[in-house]
Amino acid sequence: MKSFHLARAAAVALIGVAVTGMAAHAEIKNYEFQLVQPTVKAGADRIVTVRLVDKASGKAVPDAVIFSTRLDMAPDGMQEMATKVTPMPGTEPGTYRFKATFGMAGRWQLSLGAKVQGETGAVENKLVVTAEQ
């Protein structure tokens, strides 16, 4: 009888640990990309830096896997005016850098999709970068 109670207590403890572990993970909606600098100079080979942030803690999130990038002029009604985006190494944990050509001054939309390790789903954000002359 005593071993039955011990086994039952162990099972309850394991369930409690599992539930607590699941609660420790943030929901994917609690993450967002933020521009480090909202403006760049128009021209070739410009660098855009973003930070992936856990909104609950305010901390930068390193080691996300960026699986989708697009840069176009959708905010100015020219979504067909897209340019190539090349990932670059980040300079600090939780920052992600991209090189692109901003062919003209105006508002450019950087669309990003990423997987955060240990989370289900994807972070998807659209950020507006202003290219100036």
Side-chain angles (χ1 to χ4, degrees), residues 79-124:
Q79 57 271 15
E80 67 281 350
M81 186 160 178
T83 189
K84 181 181 175 187
V85 178
T86 305
M88 305 291 291
T91 55
E92 57 189 72
T95 62
Y96 304 87
R97 298 173 62 217
F98 305 96
K99 180 170 62 172
T101 297
F102 290 82
M104 63 185 289
R107 294 178 302 154
W108 292 76
Q109 179 173 277
L110 177 61
S111 301
L112 298 169
K115 296 288 286 174
V116 175
Q117 294 192 18
E119 299 295 342
T120 303
V123 178
E124 296 181 12

Side-chain angles (χ1 to χ4, degrees), residues 47-72:
I47 302 294
V48 176
T49 304
V50 299
R51 182 177 298 115
L52 180 58
V53 176
D54 178 342
K55 295 187 288 188
S57 68
K59 293 182 180 178
V61 180
D63 304 322
V65 177
I66 310 291
F67 64 83
S68 173
T69 59
R70 178 175 168 85
L71 183 63
D72 60 41

